[in-house]
Amino acid sequence: MPVDTELLESVKGFLDPEEGQRLYETALVASQLGPCLEIGSYCGKSTIYIGTACQENGSVLFSIDHHRGSEEQQPGQQYFDPDLFDEGRNRIDTFPYFMDTIEKAGLQDTVVPIVCKSAIAARQWTTPLALVFIDGGHSFEDAFTDYSAWAHHLIPGGYLLIHDIFEDPKKGGQAPFEVYKLALASGLFEEMPRTKTLGVLKRRLF
Ligand SMILES: C[S@@+](CC[C@H](N)C(=O)[O-])C[C@H]1O[C@@H](n2cnc3c(N)ncnc32)[C@H](O)[C@@H]1O
């Protein structure tokens, strides 16, 4: 992948490099068909992988995040990072880090940042999408909202990717896996091989 690995390593985030590579490869195919969209930009790690593929095909990545952090990233929680806490605003703010990543990766003309809750962005959305990557809030309510708000915008042959699929509850939260199973049960998607915790589904052509 034509991306500076030093830059990738320097960006805060939760994506395994193999999962990132799979995101890139899937987006390289999808972005020939239309625009891509991710929910959960954080500091831009996944954005680099998907955005670079979009850039290669002259496509666009819409990247949604309210940049206030998920429940588990708040002070006192497991994934709290004090570097990302804005003392003046008394809250998490990942937006400056995200924009810095986009600039360093040279993706300013490819990535469209959307700074709000994903359900708000979905309200008036009408653009068909070739790839949707769900990596926002990890409660069942958040993950299900993201699935129901965005998956139906996928074109036939488009890809739905869901991060943090843990079949074993001892290894991680179950909400993304529950939503993944719902998507499969809809009959609308074909299951593709997973990469670590990255689930990949392809919208059927009928
Ligand atoms: C696990 S992080 C995303 C990690 C990122 N994809 C990466 O590669 O590092 C989850 C992000 O989702 C965002 N988020 C959580 N709930 C959201 C919602 N309802 N709408 C928009 N963003 C949300 C949080 O602010 C957080 O930045």
Side-chain angles (χ1 to χ4, degrees):
M1 186 183 82
V3 167
D4 181 351
T5 43
E6 257 180 59
L7 172 63
L8 273 169
E9 279 165 18
S10 72
V11 175
K12 290 176 188 286
F14 308 98
L15 204 63
D16 175 278
E18 279 178 44
E19 295 173 338
Q21 179 67 23
R22 183 76 189 281
L23 269 185
Y24 167 76
E25 285 164 10
T26 310
L28 201 56
V29 175
S31 58
Q32 293 175 36
L33 309 172
C36 300
L37 182 140
E38 72 170 346
I39 304 137
S41 332
Y42 197 57
C43 297
K45 202 185 264 288
S46 51
T47 315
I48 296 180
Y49 287 103
I50 307 173
T52 301
C54 288
Q55 187 179 50
E56 284 181 51
N57 286 318
S59 188
V60 158
L61 167 61
F62 299 103
S63 183
I64 302 174
D65 201 309
H66 49 45
H67 287 285
R68 292 178 174 225
S70 301
E71 280 172 38
E72 65 279 10
Q73 295 160 357
Q74 301 307 315
Q77 302 302 311
Q78 187 181 7
Y79 293 104
F80 174 63
D81 181 340
D83 293 351
L84 304 177
F85 194 78
D86 182 328
E87 297 287 347
R89 292 193 168 93
N90 195 34
R91 65 168 169 85
I92 293 285
D93 185 6
T94 49
F95 190 56
Y97 295 86
F98 174 72
M99 290 308 290
D100 188 48
T101 300
I102 297 308
E103 198 175 316
K104 285 182 179 151
L107 292 171
Q108 303 96 317
D109 294 339
T110 299
V111 175
V112 182
I114 301 178
V115 185
C116 64
K117 289 182 192 161
S118 94
I120 308 293
R123 271 190 201 158
Q124 295 291 321
W125 193 271
T126 54
T127 303
L129 298 165
L131 180 152
V132 170
F133 173 49
I134 299 181
D135 193 18
H138 281 42
S139 66
F140 180 78
E141 191 187 348
D142 279 343
F144 181 69
T145 298
D146 291 340
Y147 168 66
S148 41
W150 293 102
H152 64 99
H153 290 293
L154 279 169
I155 57 173
Y159 294 87
L160 175 65
L161 297 109
I162 304 179
H163 194 224
D164 290 329
I165 304 292
F166 295 104
E167 296 209 12
D168 180 353
K170 288 188 213 112
K171 294 196 172 150
Q174 291 296 284
F177 185 42
E178 291 303 321
V179 168
Y180 178 85
K181 286 188 284 188
L182 281 175
L184 265 182
S186 74
L188 292 170
F189 297 95
E190 183 188 338
E191 190 171 29
M192 312 288 283
R194 268 180 236 163
T195 298
K196 295 194 166 175
T197 75
L198 181 68
V200 183
L201 301 174
K202 187 172 183 184
R203 178 79 165 82
R204 291 188 196 279
L205 293 174
F206 56 79

